[in-house]
Amino acid sequence: MRLADRKVLPGGDVIQKYDLRFCQPNLDHLEMTTVHSLEHLMAEHARNHSTQVIDISPMGCQTGFYLIVQGEWAYDDVLALVQATLEDVVVATEVPAANEVQCGWGAHHSLEGAQAAARTFLAAREQWSEVTG
């Protein structure tokens, strides 16, 4: 996990974008139903831990997500937020908003896939700060 960008907006607010890489680029990827469900689950649960979460968006390459937060965050605080969020994903009983009213493809989800990816990422917690090419 790494800080990918930091912007100061015209009004002086700061936003930070973190790269949450679940898979090694060009070697592995997440299935699209897993990505879709993780997007819903992480967005819901991360906002339960902080009102400063602006967005969690999937990477088109299906290797991870971008986490965008408001303000100046200490790196360890971002790690704690991601850990708490993924711990919530592992015990979730459903994918939030996975229906035809709230989602553009409500049937295209995998709670099991999202939970497996979250467990794998959590198991590698000691390596989250190691950035690879």
Side-chain angles (χ1 to χ4, degrees), residues 83-130:
Q83 181 172 342
T85 298
L86 291 175
E87 288 170 351
D88 290 344
V89 169
V90 169
V91 298
T93 57
E94 66 181 5
V95 176
N99 58 65
E100 292 181 12
V101 174
Q102 296 173 288
C103 180
W105 197 359
H108 191 250
H109 286 278
S110 173
L111 176 61
E112 297 78 16
Q115 290 174 323
R119 280 192 293 276
T120 299
F121 198 66
L122 283 166
R125 174 68 176 83
E126 294 301 317
Q127 289 83 43
W128 286 4
S129 297
E130 296 174 17

Side-chain angles (χ1 to χ4, degrees), residues 24-66:
Q24 178 67 38
N26 300 304
L27 295 180
D28 197 12
H29 70 281
L30 298 168
E31 293 301 318
M32 201 57 217
T33 53
T34 296
V35 171
H36 192 188
S37 296
L38 275 170
E39 175 191 13
H40 281 235
L41 285 156
M42 290 193 307
E44 174 79 15
H45 292 290
R47 289 183 177 104
N48 290 337
H49 294 287
S50 175
T51 59
Q52 293 179 293
V53 173
I54 294 172
D55 190 32
I56 296 180
S57 54
M59 296 174 179
C61 60
Q62 297 172 234
T63 61
F65 297 83
Y66 292 112

